[in-house]
Amino acid sequence: MSISTKAIFFVAGSIVLSFTSNTFAAKSNSILQTKPSEPYKSYLNRDDVANSLALLPPPPQQDSPAFLADQAAYKQGHTLINTPRWALAQSDANLADSNIGKPFAQALGIVISKEKTPNTYYLLRHIMVDSGFLGTDIAKNHYQRIRPFVYYKTQTCWPQDDKLLRKDGSYPSGHSALGWSTALILSEMFPQKQNQILQRGYDFGQSRVICGAHWQSDVDAGRIIGAEIVARLHANKEFMQDFQKSKEELLKQTTSN
């Protein structure tokens, strides 16, 4: 993708990103690191993705049965504090470069890293922008839904992000969109492991409820966005080329283990 090299700025709520062509430099975003080790890239442009505001229904109103279900899910998740599942939710909240792909290591039987699997590492890093930001931000910034930990005046399982999350709309969940996109992509590469991979992608989204960072309905909507983004990525030549490189790379890792 090639567009003007002039820097363009999106200012939407607390999200400020600058990009040249399809390269993004994160200034403030709950998905992208505030100080990334290198600029982010995306496979898709703004006009490539579906409008999340048009695609998704509105989030539940606070006097609705659906919101009561959201509250019940939050309270259930909150009972898991200081359990192994809480620790997993904390790990899933960490979107630092050093943690890219790590949540799926056990399901895959392969450790993803910049050093050992660079093609896969960069593929997953790129879709952080596509799924976690471009796929969700229009609805997020329109609704500016309050997050559970703010509503209940508590903190998330990953409190170092709380200041930023307070300014970033809750609906839909960018983390969940990213997790589901990742699961769909990896399960396509390894259909024989699809049950484990998809379960891990589902659990990755549920971690946001357990963390108190998102309502259940945010997570459910995020999965819709994740699936939409993957469908659109399959029409992108650059992504499909990188997908094949990543698949070959991971298959080599499988045979060498």
Side-chain angles (χ1 to χ4, degrees):
M1 289 173 281
S2 177
I3 62 176
S4 169
T5 57
K6 182 179 179 181
I8 303 173
F9 292 89
F10 282 99
V11 181
S14 65
I15 300 172
V16 184
L17 297 177
S18 66
F19 69 87
T20 302
S21 182
N22 60 330
T23 301
F24 291 69
K27 298 288 186 67
S28 178
N29 180 263
S30 62
I31 289 292
L32 309 182
Q33 297 174 63
T34 304
K35 296 180 181 179
S37 58
E38 55 188 301
Y40 288 93
K41 288 184 65 179
S42 69
Y43 290 108
L44 305 175
N45 284 317
R46 164 66 59 194
D47 294 338
D48 294 330
V49 302
N51 182 327
S52 55
L53 182 60
L55 174 63
L56 298 172
Q61 296 183 355
Q62 291 191 14
D63 58 352
S64 68
F67 185 64
L68 290 176
D70 275 347
Q71 290 180 299
Y74 166 82
K75 292 173 182 177
Q76 175 61 32
H78 212 59
T79 66
L80 299 173
I81 291 176
N82 297 326
T83 69
R85 186 61 183 90
W86 180 262
L88 181 63
Q90 289 177 311
S91 178
D92 287 346
N94 180 8
L95 295 183
D97 287 346
S98 60
N99 208 41
I100 289 176
K102 297 292 175 61
F104 291 87
Q106 184 174 354
L108 276 174
I110 303 168
V111 176
I112 295 170
S113 70
K114 184 178 180 179
E115 295 73 29
K116 291 188 176 182
T117 58
N119 292 322
T120 306
Y121 170 87
Y122 281 109
L123 181 143
L124 298 182
R125 194 174 192 270
H126 295 350
I127 67 168
M128 290 175 72
V129 181
D130 295 312
S131 285
F133 175 66
L134 290 177
T136 63
D137 72 310
I138 295 177
K140 268 180 172 286
N141 294 310
H142 175 81
Y143 293 116
Q144 283 296 311
R145 189 184 192 191
I146 188 172
R147 292 176 181 261
F149 79 96
V150 180
Y151 182 88
Y152 286 106
K153 296 180 174 60
T154 180
Q155 64 181 25
T156 71
C157 69
W158 197 246
Q160 51 265 57
D161 284 349
D162 286 5
K163 182 177 180 180
L164 182 58
L165 292 178
R166 289 177 184 276
K167 301 176 183 179
D168 186 27
S170 191
Y171 181 88
S173 166
H175 276 72
S176 302
L178 171 62
W180 196 237
S181 288
T182 302
L184 291 173
I185 290 167
L186 293 176
S187 64
E188 184 175 351
M189 293 181 187
F190 293 91
Q192 70 276 23
K193 297 182 178 180
Q194 64 178 344
N195 290 342
Q196 302 96 306
I197 294 169
L198 292 174
Q199 183 64 58
R200 188 65 187 89
Y202 181 87
D203 290 343
F204 189 92
Q206 290 307 114
S207 287
R208 302 307 288 162
V209 179
I210 292 167
C211 250
H214 281 289
W215 304 103
Q216 183 65 56
S217 54
D218 303 336
V219 170
D220 296 341
R223 294 188 182 114
I224 294 172
I225 296 297
E228 176 265 317
I229 290 294
V230 171
R232 181 59 183 82
L233 285 169
H234 278 74
N236 181 275
K237 183 178 179 180
E238 183 183 2
F239 168 78
M240 292 307 298
Q241 290 173 340
D242 286 354
F243 176 94
Q244 190 59 38
K245 291 177 183 177
S246 172
K247 181 177 180 179
E248 292 170 359
E249 177 181 74
L250 292 177
L251 285 172
K252 287 180 181 178
Q253 288 287 322
T254 301
T255 56
S256 64
N257 288 343

